[in-house]
Amino acid sequence: AQSVTQPDIHITVSEGASLELRCNYSYGATPYLFWYVQSPGQGLQLLLKYFSGDTLVQGIKGFEAEFKRSQSSFNLRKPSVHWSDAAEYFCAVGTASFTGGGNKLTFGTGTQLKVEL
Amino acid sequence: GAGVSQSPRYKVAKRGQDVALRCDPISGHVSLFWYQQALGQGPEFLTYFQNEAQLDKSGLPSDRFFAERPEGSVSTLKIQRTQQEDSAVYLCASRRQAPKDEQYFGPGTRLTVT
């Protein structure tokens, strides 16, 4: 069974500073990896996804993530954080299977990002 | 176009009551998922439909939870005899079809059992 670990529960950064949110996954085969953002009272919005190919993926809002198979990691980065980036961020792993869970997502517990002005 | 919608957005139920939560997926999306998100946690998978077929219900926590999607579009998650531990946000997501397609999430229904 797949699992996701987000070791940082809370992170505080200053506006304009760089950001890296950590994500480690456990899955026996090549995973499908996702980063979602959730603002209060809102649903989850997809930031980016990795299926195969280039291990550095670009997403919306200036975010990027790098898949490192040797480290089982998929860390999210942004070079300069904006106050509007304050939210909760979830890393998730999915499978390629149509059957069974049909590519259900397994989420980490999330990282709450606070941005200081 | 419209995204995934869920109703009601908030539901307060007394312990022991039955509740029904509705999900309207994006039109034409074949796959539909329900997740449960407890306070301070990430969403956890409950069940999955492909069209009207419920292909996986392994995440449903007890037989008090029941989901259906009779015409392959709107889905309803029903919880019978609600308990306090059922308090959570219930998220619905739909996906065009393939595992590589994005899952689009609705805003969720916040259920509070008193």
Side-chain angles (χ1 to χ4, degrees):
Chain A
Q2 61 262 38
S3 66
V4 175
T5 301
Q6 292 181 250
D8 303 307
I9 298 174
H10 295 99
I11 282 186
T12 300
V13 299
S14 299
E15 190 175 35
S18 64
L19 171 70
E20 183 169 28
L21 301 182
R22 295 183 290 166
C23 171
N24 292 93
Y25 69 90
S26 173
Y27 180 59
T30 299
Y32 289 177
L33 294 163
F34 307 80
W35 274 100
Y36 282 86
V37 61
Q38 186 176 40
S39 298
Q42 303 296 313
L44 294 158
Q45 181 184 21
L46 182 68
L47 288 175
L48 47 78
K49 59 187 178 183
Y50 171 79
F51 293 135
S52 64
D54 194 348
T55 56
L56 184 64
V57 293
Q58 303 296 322
I60 62 171
K61 304 184 180 186
F63 286 93
E64 66 178 26
E66 186 171 12
F67 171 58
K68 293 186 177 180
R69 184 187 301 275
S70 61
Q71 298 178 19
S72 297
S73 70
F74 189 58
N75 294 348
L76 182 71
R77 301 194 294 249
K78 187 170 185 178
S80 178
V81 170
H82 188 264
W83 64 267
S84 61
D85 293 325
E88 187 148 29
Y89 291 79
F90 291 95
C91 181
V93 63
T95 72
S97 174
F98 262 103
T99 60
N103 191 226
K104 66 183 179 185
L105 298 178
T106 299
F107 288 85
T109 51
T111 297
Q112 185 70 48
L113 174 65
K114 180 180 175 182
V115 180
E116 290 182 334
L117 300 177
Chain B
V4 178
S5 61
Q6 294 185 244
S7 60
R9 291 292 310 275
Y10 303 91
K11 177 69 178 177
V12 179
K14 292 189 189 302
R15 191 172 57 184
Q17 284 184 332
D18 297 349
V19 298
L21 312 180
R22 177 187 169 105
C23 172
D24 284 83
I26 293 172
S27 178
H29 278 197
V30 168
S31 303
L32 186 144
F33 300 80
W34 283 98
Y35 294 85
Q36 180 191 58
Q37 186 175 20
L39 191 64
Q41 300 296 315
E44 291 192 359
F45 170 80
L46 293 177
T47 188
Y48 159 65
F49 291 86
Q50 186 157 298
N51 294 306
E52 69 279 2
Q54 188 176 20
L55 297 187
D56 189 338
K57 52 183 181 179
S58 62
L60 296 176
S62 78
D63 59 7
R64 296 185 295 105
F65 286 70
F66 172 75
E68 60 183 4
R69 194 185 185 200
E71 297 178 357
S73 178
V74 170
S75 177
T76 304
L77 176 66
K78 297 179 180 178
I79 309 173
Q80 297 177 324
R81 304 181 304 281
T82 52
Q83 304 294 316
Q84 280 196 314
E85 61 262 28
D86 300 335
S87 295
V89 175
Y90 291 85
L91 296 167
C92 175
S94 72
R95 183 185 73 197
R96 193 169 56 198
Q97 184 168 9
K100 288 187 177 183
D101 296 329
E102 176 182 347
Q103 288 189 30
Y104 292 86
F105 284 80
T109 295
R110 180 178 297 279
L111 173 65
T112 303
V113 181
T114 60

